[in-house]
């Protein structure tokens, strides 16, 4: 069950969010989530997943899983291992880790089998609709050219978001849709909700912020009004 | 520093070696290593790396790292994160996770930068020589058609091992070479040493053994005589 | 414009259909197409594309294009080059050449830009629906486990075909759907049409047939009745 | 047999060198090769390979082959098809089409089986040495950061070239080595020869030149003195 509205924080492989610093960031996210009563999810590096999942009560996601079954798959990410380490879900198909269509579909199927939510990223309205046809837990629309720029898609290309919502809604009336790429301020989040999406996917704006708590609080606040 | 002779146990993504069971297996490997005074390395899943590295004193390896620098690399394996989680090295280019030549080279370079050993697999004498030219910590020759078969390369295709040793030694006189694929019994290990390699890389024969300790002891014993 | 019903013959990289033999096979396909007045498409190797396209009047497809623009892309397949060589379309995402979702989408977009039809393969009803959301010229459902087996999907797994048709029709009422995998006899083609698809995608049953003309005629005949 | 010194012209997927324009460029290369009596090789797009190979007498290379055997490999490049279309060799592992180490090795083996020369690119002295260990027909060192820049590696990073030569010569005394990346003027070619390499690999400097013949002649002339 993917609860909305949601703020998903992608730790990527930033050094500021690696290892014990990653745990620290996750704990601040947990604090804000409890204070405001909103859904905040952290998507963390695999090497840090267990450490973080054992120490916070908010949902912890992997950043990727492979659609493999237990066995001889050296160096790949077993869904069961991710689940046992404490994850409640996983990102899939992020612009920095795109997947083959068949692999993406199998990864969603495997995630359901082991009880992991799937938040699947897509780059255009067309691919977002394609993703929705695969019935993941949620879809995130992220025009890759805006990722990490600080130029929010919700302002720079609102039509990408509204076209995505329109296309997905013809295929699935209820699946949660998140807005990603360039989300930097509380305003961007409010705008994302107005455009018909149910939350945001954010990375550098939070991870690189000088005051993690203040930034998370700023981005989470617009979700409160929406509850 | 890759100490030899060595027994490297690859946990792959076997369920028998995932999560807490993986820790149990690693602890048995540690016990045998201490009892016999031989080098035993465990190569574990990323999600279990910290758990295992924090609880055993033998070297713990990742099964793969990506040659990335800290930053925007969602879903990839940051060498720094693997190091901080407690790994002392990594497998690379296993037959179940082959790498592009340039990526493999960069991964070796990055591993050195962060202080991780690299044990690089190869499928033929020619590719083993190519790998040696990249100067990793050690090379493992594993004909993929024998992996997981229980037919030891050291008996079925000894000329693959000796050709590999010959080709590598022309490029690097000292780099440790391991024999892998189908290693199942103590005899296979002894034969691998006789053929001029400095240890073995084993997965299913140990992970799927009914008595882990007995099997590890059997495979580690031939290394003692060699010390 | 993808005309239906259609018989698409995939030459793959069979030696029997390489080079001048490929041209011979294409000429026989052309003969049957004219005789029966049905749509037969040949999907040929890139190295043979121009030779075949210059010498037959039926549609000649590439087996793959890359979603690149003219420029520095050594070793990749430029849509413009394929078009100039005489192709009228391309297969995409065949089970032997699966694509990333974003790459598949871009390839469809690029194909439209240069005037190439796109016949996109998929392995399950879910991925077929996803493909339909990308609006290619046509979709082919091919369960990979049946490809090359001689066990026709239309008989062994008719529910895969009907589920695919149902899922796609909710997204696109008109897009042509082909049945592939294991199609060997005229009966299989008739059954594929009964199940609601508009043609078939065939490879080994034709390429490896002793009498090419007889086999193509057998598989093309059920399409005649459908006109 | 890879004749040296050599000028290899990579047509990439530039529109200026696609289809009939590609043939035109190849004919000019042939003219200069005959006039000066030097070895000029053209590496062309697959869709144009037969057209060009049938109409010029200089060696025509593919830009890539896959290490497959005849059979079910839709969309891949069969070495036999490339050979039958008239190629005498192939580029491999270009920076725009990097290969897995095992795949590269198999591609070299397959090329030898069908009688195709292999010119394998590499990005560093270390990977160049690794490539030499695989025993292709020739190696090209091309630091990717200089490709297409007009800044010749032979001037900007001569130590990359000399280190490459040193490392390769320890493994193979005779294999031809080419210098690539940023080669723009006759001087760059002369310098490449002085640094101990046996020719150059050039793309944009020729393909984008206003006067193809003049530019090819300029770059080929330093090879004459070397004969």
């Amino acid at each position: 069950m993917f609860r909305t509205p949601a703020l998903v924080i992608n730790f990527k492989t930033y050094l500021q969010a690696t290892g014990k610093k990653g745990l620290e960031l996750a704990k601040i996210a947990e604090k804000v989530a409890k204070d405001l009563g909103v859904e905040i999810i952290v998507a963390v590096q695999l090497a840090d997943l267990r450490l973080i999942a054992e120490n916070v009560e908010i949902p912890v996601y992997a950043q990727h899983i492979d659609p493999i079954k237990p066995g001889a798959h050296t160096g790949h990410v077993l869904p069961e291992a991710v689940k046992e380490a404490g994850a409640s879900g996983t990102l899939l198909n992020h612009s920095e880790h795109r997947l083959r269509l068949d692999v993406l579909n199998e990864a969603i199927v495997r995630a359901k089998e082991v009880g992991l939510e799937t938040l699947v990223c897509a780059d255009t309205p067309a691919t977002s609709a394609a993703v929705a046809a695969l019935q993941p837990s949620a879809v995130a629309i992220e025009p890759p050219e805006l990722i990490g720029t600080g130029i929010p898609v919700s302002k720079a290309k609102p039509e990408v978001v509204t076209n995505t919502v329109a296309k997905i809604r013809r295929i699935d009336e209820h699946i949660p849709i998140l807005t990603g790429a360039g989300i930097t301020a509380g305003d961007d989040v409010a705008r994302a909700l107005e455009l018909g999406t149910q939350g945001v996917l954010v990375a550098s704006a939070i991870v690189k912020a000088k005051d993690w708590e203040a930034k998370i609080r700023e981005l989470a606040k617009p979700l409160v009004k929406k509850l």
Side-chain angles (χ1 to χ4, degrees), chain A:
Chain A
M1 180 66 198
F2 191 93
R3 290 178 52 208
T4 57
L7 164 61
V8 181
I9 309 174
N10 181 2
F11 287 21
K12 296 194 173 181
T13 53
Y14 289 118
L15 215 52
Q16 301 95 322
T18 292
K20 278 167 197 151
K21 289 182 202 157
L23 175 57
E24 197 185 326
L25 176 53
K27 282 193 150 298
I28 291 172
E30 178 188 40
K31 178 165 183 273
V32 176
K34 287 187 176 172
D35 280 3
L36 299 182
V38 298
E39 181 79 350
I40 301 182
I41 296 170
V42 290
V44 309
Q45 292 180 65
L46 214 53
D48 300 328
L49 203 156
R50 186 184 298 264
L51 173 71
I52 293 174
E54 283 180 349
N55 288 289
V56 300
E57 289 173 356
I58 56 174
V60 178
Y61 274 35
Q63 292 176 7
H64 171 71
I65 58 169
D66 290 305
I68 54 168
K69 300 213 169 177
H73 303 286
T74 302
H76 293 278
V77 185
L78 180 68
E80 280 83 351
V82 164
K83 179 73 178 178
E84 186 185 323
S88 55
T90 186
L91 293 186
L92 285 172
N93 199 44
H94 189 276
S95 80
E96 291 149 18
H97 202 308
R98 292 290 190 216
L99 300 180
R100 287 177 10 182
L101 172 57
D102 60 321
V103 167
L104 174 57
N105 182 51
E106 288 165 35
I108 293 169
V109 169
R110 286 290 288 127
K112 285 179 187 169
E113 284 173 12
V114 304
L116 291 169
E117 305 290 335
T118 48
L119 170 56
V120 181
C121 302
D123 58 340
T124 66
T127 52
S128 297
V131 164
L134 304 178
Q135 302 186 290
S137 307
V139 184
I141 170 69
E142 286 204 307
E145 67 275 16
L146 296 180
I147 292 177
T149 58
I151 304 169
V153 59
S154 47
K155 287 185 178 169
K157 300 197 173 181
E159 73 286 358
V160 170
V161 178
T162 51
N163 287 346
T164 296
V165 172
K167 274 189 183 275
I168 289 180
R169 286 292 168 250
R170 253 173 268 149
I171 290 173
D172 189 313
E173 278 179 57
H174 303 296
I175 189 168
I177 306 170
L178 303 192
T179 298
I183 302 295
T184 308
D187 255 17
D188 307 336
V189 179
R191 190 82 185 102
L193 300 175
E194 286 165 22
L195 293 172
T197 60
Q198 286 72 51
V200 293
L201 174 54
V202 182
S204 58
I206 289 175
V207 175
K208 295 181 173 177
K210 288 194 181 162
D211 183 338
W212 281 343
E213 183 171 341
K215 183 49 80 177
I216 296 176
R217 204 170 284 274
E218 176 191 349
L219 296 183
K221 261 196 182 157
L223 304 180
V224 181
K225 303 173 193 155
K226 191 72 181 182
L227 288 173

